[in-house]
Amino acid sequence: MLIDDDEVTNFYHQFIIEEANCCKQIQIFKDSQNALSFLQDTKNPMPNIIFLDINMPVMNGWEFLDKYKKLDTKRKRNAVVVMLTTSTNKNDKEKSKTYREVAHFYSKPLTEKTLFHVMKNM
């Protein structure tokens, strides 16, 4: 799952994931509120990896995480959240460590090397 308000970034990250041939389906959301609604609906499959941007309108990445952590633990058990951002604020990386749901924090853009590192450490 890609959650980022930038269409070009989503297109590029989708390309990287498809080229790596590592998943069956990619869900793309331009806003985290819609992504959260998707995840809350138990009829929808839970993604294995959620790539999450921080700076988005409507609901930013931190607000998403605050609501995401309230989801059923069993439902999100196998999902890995990866913060993928352009933020250079050192406080953001430190803040991400306060969320046990966040497994990794990387700078954009997603690379094949980063993708394989995330998958290796799942």
Side-chain angles (χ1 to χ4, degrees):
M1 177 178 282
L2 300 172
I3 307 172
D4 195 312
D5 61 312
D6 184 67
E7 198 169 321
V8 173
T9 298
N10 284 328
F11 178 81
Y12 179 75
H13 291 169
Q14 179 179 4
F15 175 79
I16 294 296
I17 294 167
E18 287 174 348
E19 284 294 304
N21 198 28
C22 62
C23 69
K24 295 178 185 175
Q25 184 178 10
I26 303 169
Q27 292 288 335
I28 300 173
F29 292 93
K30 287 178 64 178
D31 95 46
S32 54
Q33 180 61 54
N34 287 334
L36 187 63
S37 295
F38 177 90
L39 295 172
Q40 289 170 329
D41 186 343
T42 57
K43 295 175 193 156
N44 294 325
M46 192 68 172
N48 297 102
I49 304 172
I50 300 170
F51 290 103
L52 177 65
D53 187 23
I54 293 175
N55 299 311
M56 294 180 283
V58 181
M59 178 190 294
N60 68 34
W62 305 121
E63 294 164 326
F64 170 88
L65 285 170
D66 289 336
K67 294 182 181 202
Y68 175 81
K69 66 183 179 181
K70 295 176 184 175
L71 290 178
D72 180 46
T73 303
K74 290 179 190 175
R75 178 149 168 76
K76 62 183 182 178
R77 172 181 25 194
N78 295 321
V80 173
V81 178
V82 178
M83 301 297 290
L84 197 55
T85 182
T86 56
S87 174
T88 57
N89 186 338
K90 292 178 184 181
N91 293 333
D92 284 338
K93 187 169 187 172
E94 291 306 310
K95 185 174 182 176
S96 76
K97 293 175 184 177
T98 67
Y99 290 88
R100 58 168 222 224
E101 291 81 8
V102 177
H104 305 282
F105 186 98
Y106 292 106
S107 295
K108 289 181 191 177
L110 178 64
T111 63
E112 192 172 290
K113 181 180 178 180
T114 299
L115 178 60
F116 287 133
H117 182 263
V118 169
M119 291 172 30
K120 180 181 173 187
N121 292 296
M122 288 178 68

